[in-house]
Amino acid sequence: MKFTFSEDHRLHFPQAELHGGEFVTPFERPSRVEYVLNRLRTVGMTDLIAPDAYDPAPVAAIHDAGYLNFLATAWADWTAAGYRGEIVPTGFPMRRMQQRIPQEIDGKAGYYCLAVETAITGGTWAAAQSSCAVAQTAQRLVAGGDRAAFALCRPPGHHAAIDMYGGYCFINNAAVAAEMFRRDGAKRVAILDVDFHHGNGTQDIFYHRDDVLFCSLHGAPETAFPYFLGYADETGAGKGEGFNANYPMPEGTPYEVWGAALDDAARRIATFGPDALVVSLGVDTFKDDPISYFKLDSPDFLKIGQRIARLGLPTLFVMEGGYAIGAIGLNTVNVLEGFENA
């Protein structure tokens, strides 16, 4: 299986993240990529493809223009305002407030931000573009005839909504790839999100569409980030009714229960009959992940790859979460090896 990644991911590394009332080293950090790369080399998966240049056209098709302009100009506006730290907004358009976009950069950041654990730095926009370019390049490999490809994206993307960033995400890489498959002639595309956290951004982007099926397996929103989307009764709207499937599960969920949800999602995908599959590959379902609460073990990730392979679809794997740093390489590559050897 060919894979892509960019060293430019290192341009995004905030100094701290707000977690549990304290500032800590971000869980989403550059070393995550190194552990995955090391495991890929260990198992002999060394077919690395350098990413093509970032293509803004499919990104503009799924993200709001004002939001993208904000990401492109936020750091310059922030420093011009005299702020010396990283961008962490202090105000938000909450219930019964106006939804007008402020001119001042702190207010503007609050308008576009969905979670303050995600700081913006001087290199964030360049890193986000490079991460998207990695996904775009891997998508072209699959669209060109490869059975599968792996986009080792960082920063991740599935929390990035039409016009909001957060959850460590800025551009929704999986959604961009799905849009590219459609532009390349696929009549239908499925997105399977196996990250512990609900893919709220991907749901937001495709909620009213019937050409992209979105299935997400995740922690119940009553107790897990991002809290405000991911309920089972969110099934799509308008033309998209019936094309959004959420599988929220409680604390302590073992593979036997999680795997049954995967089987159901796979049946939905098979019935939908897509021409391509995009997998938002988060491995924070691992039992020792520091910010998640499922109980999957490393051998279970082989089973995930095997089950996905049985769908028999051209498949793009896009890296999302996974914060047990020492195990992220093993767990990620287990999915890929399970798929390859099925």
Side-chain angles (χ1 to χ4, degrees):
M1 183 187 302
K2 299 185 181 79
F3 73 96
T4 61
F5 95 103
S6 170
E7 287 286 356
D8 285 349
H9 76 90
R10 299 179 185 280
L11 297 171
H12 173 69
F13 189 13
Q15 297 175 36
E17 166 183 337
L18 183 61
H19 176 75
E22 299 177 296
F23 284 104
V24 301
T25 301
F27 293 101
E28 202 295 290
R29 61 187 72 163
S31 58
R32 297 174 66 243
V33 168
E34 297 308 314
Y35 279 91
V36 178
L37 285 172
N38 288 340
R39 184 61 184 175
L40 287 167
R41 297 186 188 106
T42 296
V43 303
M45 297 179 70
T46 57
D47 200 351
L48 170 63
I49 305 298
D52 301 327
Y54 168 73
D55 179 3
V59 181
I62 63 165
H63 284 300
D64 172 73
Y67 168 65
L68 294 174
N69 184 65
F70 161 77
L71 290 176
T73 60
W75 187 252
D77 291 346
W78 183 259
T79 55
Y83 297 121
R84 293 182 294 177
E86 295 167 347
I87 302 178
V88 179
T90 58
F92 305 88
M94 305 301 288
R95 289 178 292 279
R96 294 175 299 283
M97 289 183 175
Q98 291 283 351
Q99 300 297 308
R100 302 178 188 180
I101 305 174
Q103 294 181 4
E104 206 278 335
I105 183 59
D106 180 46
K108 189 179 291 186
Y111 178 85
Y112 287 115
C113 180
L114 66 86
V116 298
E117 87 292 89
T118 304
I120 293 176
T121 73
T124 294
W125 179 231
Q129 290 176 291
S130 76
S131 182
C132 184
V134 165
Q136 291 176 329
T137 302
Q139 184 276 336
R140 293 186 189 102
L141 293 173
V142 178
D146 283 19
R147 176 187 179 222
F150 173 45
L152 181 46
C153 294
R154 182 185 175 272
H158 73 148
H159 293 307
I162 294 171
D163 58 356
M164 290 181 287
Y165 72 94
Y168 314 131
C169 303
F170 304 94
I171 298 173
N172 195 311
N173 303 312
V176 170
E179 179 67 20
M180 290 175 66
F181 277 120
R182 286 286 290 116
R183 290 176 170 226
D184 287 338
K187 292 182 179 179
R188 290 175 295 276
V189 180
I191 301 176
L192 174 64
D193 192 323
V194 298
D195 190 279
F196 169 81
H197 302 94
H198 177 247
N200 61 288
T202 313
Q203 174 172 305
D204 181 49
I205 289 166
F206 295 113
Y207 203 64
H208 293 82
R209 288 174 57 167
D210 61 1
D211 58 336
V212 178
L213 172 68
F214 177 61
C215 298
S216 178
L217 286 64
H218 52 269
E222 297 93 338
T223 55
F225 181 90
Y227 302 114
F228 305 108
L229 280 180
Y231 291 89
D233 60 1
E234 298 162 13
T235 57
K239 287 176 60 178
E241 176 61 46
F243 296 94
N244 193 92
N246 286 326
Y247 297 84
M249 287 169 273
E251 184 172 356
T253 293
Y255 181 78
E256 290 72 24
V257 174
W258 191 95
L262 177 60
D263 283 339
D264 191 79
R267 285 190 289 269
R268 285 179 182 258
I269 292 168
T271 300
F272 180 60
D275 300 304
L277 173 65
V278 179
V279 179
S280 274
L281 179 55
V283 294
D284 43 1
T285 50
F286 181 57
K287 61 184 179 64
D288 294 328
D289 196 274
I291 56 173
S292 307
Y293 58 56
F294 287 168
K295 297 301 178 183
L296 277 63
D297 207 347
S298 293
D300 296 325
F301 292 94
L302 287 165
K303 302 173 189 174
I304 295 171
Q306 291 163 358
R307 184 64 186 90
I308 293 171
R310 290 204 297 273
L311 284 166
L313 294 167
T315 302
L316 170 62
F317 293 93
V318 178
M319 192 74 213
E320 302 286 2
Y323 309 103
I325 302 291
I328 187 176
L330 174 63
N331 294 337
T332 299
V333 177
N334 273 3
V335 175
L336 305 179
E337 285 198 296
F339 181 95
E340 286 275 83
N341 299 326

